[in-house]
Amino acid sequence: MQLYNTLTKTIDEFVPVDGNIIRMYTCGPTVYHYAHIGNLRSYIEEDVLEKFLRYSGYDVRRVMNITDVGHLTSDADTGDDKMVRSAEREHKTVMQVAKFYTDAFFEDCRKLNIRKPDTVVPATSMIGDLIKIISVLMDKGYAYKAGPNVYFDTSKVQNYYCLTGHDESKLQVGVRDDVEEDTNKRNKADFVLWFTKSKFEDQALKWDSPWGVGYPGWHIECTSIAIKNLGEHLDLHCGGVDNIFPHHTNEIAQSEAYLGHPWCRHWFHVQHLNDKNGKMSKSKGNVLTVSTLEEKGYDPLVYRLFCLQSHYRKPLEFDYGVMDQMANVYKKLLASVAALSDKEAVNEEQKAAWRQKFLDTMGMDLNTASSLTLLYDVLKDPSLNDSTKLAVEEDFDQVLSLDLTKTRGAGGKAQDQVDDELRAYVEARIAERKEAKKAKDFAKADAIREELAGKGIVIKDTRQGTVWEKA
Ligand code: AMP
Ligand code: ZN
């Protein structure tokens, strides 16, 4: 696969260290609030990448952290401790807040068909391990204690700015007028590995350490979780572009200082989802969530389609007009797939040729937009019988995860398994319910829903109309 690499700033042939195995690390969410659809753009693109690598025959081992402590990114991180503020707002403990928003995150992922990584590790479960790494960094002379905290000495590593190409004079840390510079640091870019005191006096979670009771900085959690679960060499590390500096820059510095050799070969970064006012951001508060989209009647997979029609390396502006177009496109696509008969034999040779086209398209720096075009090209190809078309659409959907067969009947899968009589009956009742709703006879509409539920049929109202499946 050809894939852009932030480290080399070129599209490189992606080659894992260890033959068929891919060790993939993903920076997970901070869990003081709901994930917004910007965060989820990054996770959708990473999901497509992971699934494409699996589809290409690799054995992907994917690990993700959950930032449930220590999200203090730099001196410029203003405001209060976000976990503590959420706990106060919601009358919960910090760990209850973390659990609630971690669960909410994976529920949003489920709705967007984002596969849960093989291993998910909360930062709070790693304190012992990361204390060991900090101790080694101290012993090797890469870390120092100054005032109440332990810092990483960025002057000790060569090429600290390898990901960004920044030079120190352009560094933002400590240069904004409203940011009080941390005078304990030896160099501007140094960052905290362990806090015993920060400007957030009421940090809730604290642990004992050789340097005093305190808590870890943000960056060290990813280093320790990645090394513990994936070993000393990573093939692929992912995140949104805002992670490039300082987070990933610092991860590289401390991981390579600790290991004594290069760490990760390939860095994959997703550009931001913006709104008219700029980057969608949890701390700015200009956020839309999956629930907002559902409340407005969109199937979450329409948002997945919205993301896939653009390239992951281009900023994407959220727009309801485009979402409406996508909803329409999605509806038509589902209808076309639903109309395919699966009675004939699949032509395996033709299927393999289309599979190769898909591999070539996605293999060119994850070109999801062109791979969506392939979905239509297949449907329009007069040389393919219906069953072959269906088999190819299902094949591509292993990666695109748009549930293309979901309106074909029970479970969205084998149409033949659904009794034709039952289908006709359910569809007639759904039509009656629609009429009842139009006439504002909601009691009748609800009664029809309940009657169908009694027969094991679940119906769901979406912007594309009412869909149903067997429970
Ligand atoms: P956070 O929970 O803020 O740590 O972010 C989780 C993931 O979402 C990280 O990979 C971020 O880089 C990414 N991210 C944050 N904001 C956006 C955005 N507006 N568009 C795309 N990705 C984002
Ligand atoms: Zn990280």
Side-chain angles (χ1 to χ4, degrees):
M1 175 180 199
Q2 303 289 316
L3 190 64
Y4 184 82
N5 184 355
T6 313
L7 193 58
T8 58
K9 314 216 172 14
T10 52
I11 295 179
D12 294 342
E13 175 73 31
F14 177 71
V15 188
V17 184
D18 205 356
N20 199 42
I21 297 171
I22 293 178
R23 297 182 172 86
M24 177 174 181
Y25 186 82
T26 295
C27 289
T30 47
V31 284
Y32 62 89
H33 221 305
Y34 292 107
H36 56 69
I37 58 172
N39 302 131
L40 292 160
R41 179 189 189 198
S42 286
Y43 295 115
I44 288 171
E45 300 294 347
E46 292 168 9
D47 179 69
V48 175
L49 174 60
E50 177 194 346
K51 286 177 179 159
F52 181 67
L53 292 169
R54 289 185 195 279
Y55 178 91
S56 307
Y58 289 108
D59 173 6
V60 182
R61 316 222 168 135
R62 182 158 175 213
V63 175
M64 177 194 269
N65 65 302
I66 300 287
T67 302
D68 55 355
V69 67
H71 194 269
L72 308 182
T73 55
S74 70
D75 292 353
D77 194 14
T78 52
D80 301 313
D81 181 287
K82 297 174 182 99
M83 294 296 289
V84 173
R85 288 294 84 85
S86 297
E88 281 170 2
R89 186 184 67 226
E90 298 178 20
H91 308 291
K92 289 179 180 159
T93 65
V94 165
M95 290 317 285
Q96 283 168 337
V97 169
K99 172 153 186 5
F100 179 84
Y101 288 113
T102 303
D103 291 348
F105 170 72
F106 284 116
E107 178 57 14
D108 286 343
C109 287
R110 191 190 60 74
K111 290 178 181 167
L112 289 163
N113 279 347
I114 297 169
R115 182 182 184 276
K116 193 171 181 177
D118 306 291
T119 309
V120 177
V121 186
T124 47
S125 71
M126 289 296 294
I127 305 298
D129 293 80
L130 54 85
I131 286 176
K132 278 187 208 143
I133 294 183
I134 299 170
S135 304
V136 172
L137 292 173
M138 289 284 263
D139 293 347
K140 287 185 161 187
Y142 285 105
Y144 59 93
K145 176 120 195 275
N149 302 328
V150 178
Y151 296 84
F152 186 88
D153 187 343
T154 52
S155 70
K156 295 272 162 64
V157 294
Q158 282 178 353
N159 209 4
Y160 170 67
Y161 295 104
C162 59
L163 264 191
T164 55
H166 269 187
D167 68 54
E168 201 152 349
S169 59
K170 295 193 190 120
L171 182 60
Q172 285 183 346
V173 176
V175 296
R176 258 171 40 194
D177 288 347
D178 59 336
V179 174
E180 205 183 309
E181 203 174 324
D182 182 343
T183 49
N184 290 315
K185 289 179 179 183
R186 290 183 190 161
N187 312 288
K188 249 183 199 171
D190 291 359
F191 53 93
V192 177
L193 296 166
W194 187 266
F195 287 96
T196 68
K197 188 169 184 323
S198 82
K199 55 194 157 193
F200 304 135
E201 291 297 344
D202 54 354
Q203 167 71 26
L205 300 173
K206 290 179 185 167
W207 294 264
D208 201 7
S209 84
W211 316 285
V213 175
Y215 56 97
W218 172 30
H219 317 296
I220 195 71
E221 72 180 81
C222 288
T223 287
S224 62
I225 292 170
I227 293 175
K228 179 161 188 181
N229 292 282
L230 293 167
E232 291 196 3
H233 294 276
L234 271 188
D235 296 299
L236 190 54
H237 195 312
C238 313
V241 285
D242 57 309
N243 281 164
I244 296 175
F245 185 84
H247 183 47
H248 290 165
T249 301
N250 291 347
E251 277 189 43
I252 294 175
Q254 66 200 3
S255 302
E256 299 195 347
Y258 171 71
L259 295 168
H261 60 68
W263 177 49
C264 177
R265 293 152 70 106
H266 213 111
W267 291 80
F268 174 86
H269 290 108
V270 179
Q271 268 289 352
H272 283 148
L273 180 82
N274 301 314
D275 64 13
K276 300 224 157 37
N277 303 315
K279 180 197 162 195
M280 196 170 282
S281 144
K282 264 184 218 174
S283 48
K284 277 206 274 171
N286 59 334
V287 298
L288 295 172
T289 61
V290 170
S291 306
T292 325
L293 298 182
E294 286 183 307
E295 279 154 22
K296 289 183 184 289
Y298 295 103
D299 181 329
L301 293 182
V302 168
Y303 179 64
R304 189 172 170 107
L305 185 65
F306 176 90
C307 292
L308 298 186
Q309 52 81 34
S310 137
H311 194 256
Y312 75 92
R313 282 200 290 126
K314 288 198 183 126
L316 178 60
E317 186 168 311
F318 184 75
D319 184 290
Y320 279 116
V322 180
M323 279 291 284
D324 287 340
Q325 284 169 20
M326 288 300 126
N328 228 346
V329 164
Y330 189 51
K331 185 177 166 184
K332 286 190 183 142
L333 198 52
L334 294 186
S336 304
V337 174
L340 296 171
S341 141
D342 55 3
K343 302 278 190 286
E344 301 135 302
V346 173
N347 183 323
E348 293 298 338
E349 211 173 299
Q350 287 178 315
K351 184 181 161 194
W354 278 99
R355 187 183 166 87
Q356 191 54 50
K357 279 191 202 177
F358 187 74
L359 283 167
D360 293 344
T361 307
M362 291 287 277
M364 191 54 223
D365 201 20
L366 211 67
N367 193 340
T368 51
S370 297
S371 73
L372 292 176
T373 310
L374 290 184
L375 290 175
Y376 302 107
D377 294 346
V378 169
L379 291 169
K380 281 187 296 200
D381 183 345
S383 74
L384 301 177
N385 68 29
D386 269 16
S387 303
T388 307
K389 288 181 184 177
L390 181 59
V392 176
E393 298 283 319
E394 282 181 327
D395 188 52
F396 296 177
D397 208 25
Q398 290 175 50
V399 177
L400 302 173
S401 292
L402 292 167
D403 281 359
L404 293 175
T405 52
K406 76 174 169 191
T407 51
R408 288 177 63 77
K413 286 279 173 216
Q415 189 175 22
D416 279 353
Q417 289 164 12
V418 185
D419 178 12
D420 282 346
E421 266 178 41
L422 175 70
R423 185 195 324 284
Y425 172 76
V426 172
E427 270 155 23
R429 294 300 275 156
I430 287 177
E432 263 181 70
R433 180 169 166 270
K434 192 172 167 193
E435 287 307 311
K437 278 172 83 176
K438 228 180 183 176
K440 302 212 180 315
D441 187 350
F442 298 112
K444 184 173 176 190
D446 287 347
I448 294 174
R449 177 194 283 274
E450 271 163 38
E451 179 211 315
L452 290 173
K455 293 183 161 50
I457 303 294
V458 180
I459 59 177
K460 199 173 150 200
D461 294 316
T462 72
R463 209 172 173 91
Q464 297 80 46
T466 303
V467 294
W468 64 276
E469 62 182 23
K470 273 189 165 176

